[in-house]
Amino acid sequence: MYGSEEIAVTSRPAGRSALRMGPAELVQAAAMARRFYLEGKSKIQIAEEFGVSRFKVARVLETALERDLVRIEIRVPAELDADRSDALRARFGLRHAVVVESPAEVDESPDPENLGEVAADLLGELVSEGDVLGLAWGRSTIHMAAALDRLPPCTVVQLTGVYDAGTAERGSVEAVRRAAQVSGGEAHPIYAPMLLPDPATAAALRHQTGIARAFEYFDKVTVACVSIGSWEPGISTVHDMLSAEERAHYASLGVAAEMSAHLFDSEGRRVGRDLGERCITVEADRLRRIPEVVAIAGGQRKAEAIGAVLRSGLVTSLVTDTAAADLLLSAEPGPRPALERADPDG
């Protein structure tokens, strides 16, 4: 499991600078530091105990840090990179960013499986009882669902059709069922392909009872989990479902990324919107209204696509790896998207 940052504090005379304090000062400073950092007492409480002003307590605590009497260590699990996570969050204006160490072995494949494990723990933090959790198709979301071991009671709805109707039981449908089983809530899967031959067929499927029932929940989704694909073979399921002529057409429009059958150029602008008319998927405008949208994507081959989707403003949080994070942080910043959503903690 992945908890929040752990703060370890030791209070002891350490280093030459601390020895410049007299013995009485050292003992008092150590005692005050222990009360404040380890026992959680306020400066006012400490001042009353030692018979000094709270301003004196503040000066003593500051001096204790300056003179190495107190050492503060911030520790997170080794597989999480706190510095890159914070830098990525600030760069793209995200609500949450979690960067996981890339596998030690050289691997060009995207979305290491450990991303799903970390994303599963993140959902355990973000989802509250009574929420509606939406899951879009993607290998990373399937890995995430398989790793789930805790979720508050919530409803789980599928946000897209499946890559291949013949593999539905092993893909996003099973992911929805797994998440609902862990949470003890209702499951609303979609037994339909993501991409249809034409808009009329897609429209007819959307009106089928089971699919229409799932669509009714789209406006109620409070937390969504999505995947990101690059516009190249094997990295985007939508790319792989299209004909060579269709791929060339959308490539000519400058497609750099795909998310839930929505296409984006490198600046995060949506292109090729006609594709959505043929797809069973949550609309982009509905995605934007969801308070928390968590994207799971990693690997060097997906870095450009991740950046494009982040610039769209449709994603509020990201789980990625160090390989993708380094490329994202080294790229030109570009405009930071505004999160047009209500603060879930407000």
Side-chain angles (χ1 to χ4, degrees):
M1 304 301 292
Y2 302 85
S4 58
E5 293 181 348
E6 176 185 350
I7 300 180
V9 180
T10 59
S11 54
R12 63 178 187 274
R16 286 186 172 183
S17 57
L19 297 178
R20 294 173 186 165
M21 300 173 69
E25 290 178 297
L26 283 170
V27 171
Q28 184 184 68
M32 287 184 176
R34 181 170 295 278
R35 303 290 194 281
F36 185 74
Y37 290 109
L38 300 183
E39 299 176 11
K41 292 188 176 180
S42 69
K43 293 174 184 177
I44 293 177
Q45 289 174 313
I46 298 170
E48 290 175 352
E49 179 182 347
F50 287 87
V52 298
S53 70
R54 62 185 177 90
F55 302 105
K56 170 68 179 292
V57 173
R59 286 197 300 273
V60 170
L61 292 175
E62 183 178 350
T63 301
L65 283 172
E66 290 174 350
R67 301 194 177 185
D68 207 22
L69 182 65
V70 172
R71 293 179 179 176
I72 300 176
E73 297 177 355
I74 300 177
R75 299 182 297 176
V76 296
E79 57 267 38
L80 300 185
D81 192 305
D83 290 340
R84 285 184 176 92
S85 298
D86 188 54
L88 206 58
R89 179 199 58 76
R91 167 69 70 90
F92 289 95
L94 297 168
R95 191 168 289 132
H96 304 283
V98 182
V99 177
V100 183
E101 287 290 339
S102 299
E105 64 275 9
V106 177
D107 188 356
E108 291 298 321
S109 63
D111 300 340
E113 289 193 21
N114 59 342
L115 295 186
E117 298 171 5
V118 175
D121 282 338
L122 179 61
L123 282 190
E125 290 184 64
L126 299 180
V127 176
S128 301
E129 183 173 352
D131 275 347
V132 176
L133 171 63
L135 300 182
W137 159 264
R139 298 180 187 91
S140 55
T141 52
I142 292 170
H143 292 154
M144 179 278 299
L148 282 171
D149 61 8
R150 65 184 176 106
L151 268 182
C154 64
T155 299
V156 186
V157 61
Q158 194 169 322
L159 295 178
T160 65
V162 299
Y163 172 52
D164 181 351
T167 62
E169 296 298 317
R170 302 190 301 276
S172 46
V173 169
E174 177 55 32
V176 169
R177 286 177 172 173
R178 167 66 182 168
Q181 180 184 29
V182 172
S183 73
E186 296 180 2
H188 294 276
I190 294 178
Y191 294 95
M194 180 188 294
L195 180 66
L196 282 304
D198 53 71
T201 304
L205 275 179
R206 292 189 198 105
H207 287 91
Q208 287 190 358
T209 304
I211 298 173
R213 186 178 299 117
F215 267 64
E216 289 174 359
Y217 277 90
F218 285 3
D219 286 330
K220 303 174 185 176
V221 173
T222 50
V223 180
C225 193
V226 300
S227 296
I228 296 172
S230 298
W231 199 245
E232 57 180 299
I235 314 295
S236 165
T237 53
V238 172
H239 175 281
D240 294 345
M241 285 188 283
L242 296 171
S243 67
E245 183 179 353
E246 290 170 326
R247 294 170 190 166
H249 165 67
Y250 290 117
S252 71
L253 301 179
V255 175
E258 173 266 318
M259 179 182 71
S260 302
H262 300 297
L263 308 181
F264 305 87
D265 67 11
S266 60
E267 297 300 317
R269 295 182 293 254
R270 287 186 60 212
V271 295
R273 300 190 182 207
D274 61 303
L275 181 64
E277 298 175 5
R278 297 169 49 195
C279 293
I280 302 297
T281 185
V282 60
E283 299 94 327
D285 288 342
R286 278 175 159 170
L287 266 177
R288 191 178 297 278
R289 292 196 294 269
I290 297 174
E292 188 75 71
V293 178
V294 181
I296 313 170
Q300 293 184 3
R301 294 174 65 185
K302 279 196 176 183
E304 182 182 357
I306 295 169
V309 172
L310 293 183
R311 293 183 189 99
S312 76
L314 291 177
V315 167
T316 63
S317 299
L318 174 69
V319 177
T320 190
D321 67 344
T322 52
D326 285 342
L327 291 175
L328 287 166
L329 291 170
S330 63
E332 289 296 323
R336 194 171 79 169
L339 298 181
E340 300 172 7
R341 295 166 168 83
D343 187 343
D345 297 323

